[in-house]
Amino acid sequence: MNISILNTIENVDWSRMKEIYHSVGWKKHNEEKIKKIFTLSNVVTIAYDKDKIVGFGRAMSDGVFNAAIYDVVIEDTYQHKGIGQQIIGDLLAQLKDISCVHLVATTGNEEFYRKVGFSKIKTGMARYLNPALTEEYLE
């Protein structure tokens, strides 16, 4: 397996992106929403196995002080092969001059993010419109 990394959404197969979201249980992501969130993100990383998208991540940054990484998603059949580490590494390389990079880990993936250099924050706060997400992520 030879994974290549691209930092553009030009010519992206949005239906394939949707398949990957759905493969990990994120069923509310449709092609229109996926295209919108990636278009509005100023940092993107897309992993390909030959010409097939197998994972991705995105971030939003002010370009100086702060950034937030979102949606690091690897197709279920490609997980545990180092692709997530490659995606995080590429996102962080693009954000190398940013003093603070935030990330909200999905439940159960906290240890992965610790291994790639993230730590819990003391003062993090959030609000969710969805009660199920409030239950899952907030104290």
Side-chain angles (χ1 to χ4, degrees):
M1 179 173 51
N2 187 18
I3 300 299
S4 60
I5 300 290
L6 295 179
N7 302 123
T8 180
I9 59 170
E10 191 173 327
N11 301 317
V12 162
D13 179 350
W14 299 110
S15 65
R16 177 69 182 138
M17 300 279 277
K18 181 181 80 172
E19 288 173 11
I20 294 170
Y21 274 113
H22 289 198
S23 81
V24 298
W26 296 10
K27 306 287 187 185
K28 292 184 180 181
H29 288 64
N30 62 40
E31 290 177 39
E32 181 181 323
K33 287 180 183 176
I34 295 165
K35 185 175 183 179
K36 184 174 184 177
I37 63 176
F38 273 84
T39 300
L40 293 173
S41 298
N42 57 340
V43 178
V44 299
T45 298
I46 301 177
Y48 290 83
D49 183 5
K50 297 183 178 126
D51 62 347
K52 175 180 157 184
I53 298 172
V54 296
F56 44 78
R58 64 187 186 91
M60 293 170 42
S61 175
D62 60 21
V64 180
F65 294 116
N66 293 289
I69 294 176
Y70 300 99
D71 296 1
V72 176
V73 183
I74 314 304
E75 183 179 14
D76 58 350
T77 59
Y78 279 84
Q79 291 180 5
H80 307 291
K81 299 178 189 292
I83 299 168
Q85 291 177 351
Q86 286 181 271
I87 290 171
I88 288 290
D90 186 74
L91 290 169
L92 291 174
Q94 292 181 73
L95 299 167
K96 69 182 176 2
D97 295 324
I98 306 302
S99 63
C100 180
V101 178
H102 295 95
L103 177 142
V104 176
T106 50
T107 303
N109 290 321
E110 299 89 347
E111 188 56 33
F112 166 77
Y113 291 108
R114 277 189 202 93
K115 287 180 182 176
V116 294
F118 286 86
S119 300
K120 281 192 161 200
I121 59 175
K122 295 177 184 177
T123 59
M125 306 288 276
R127 80 167 176 92
Y128 290 91
L129 295 178
N130 181 325
L133 295 176
T134 298
E135 179 69 27
E136 182 173 355
Y137 291 111
L138 302 183
E139 293 179 348

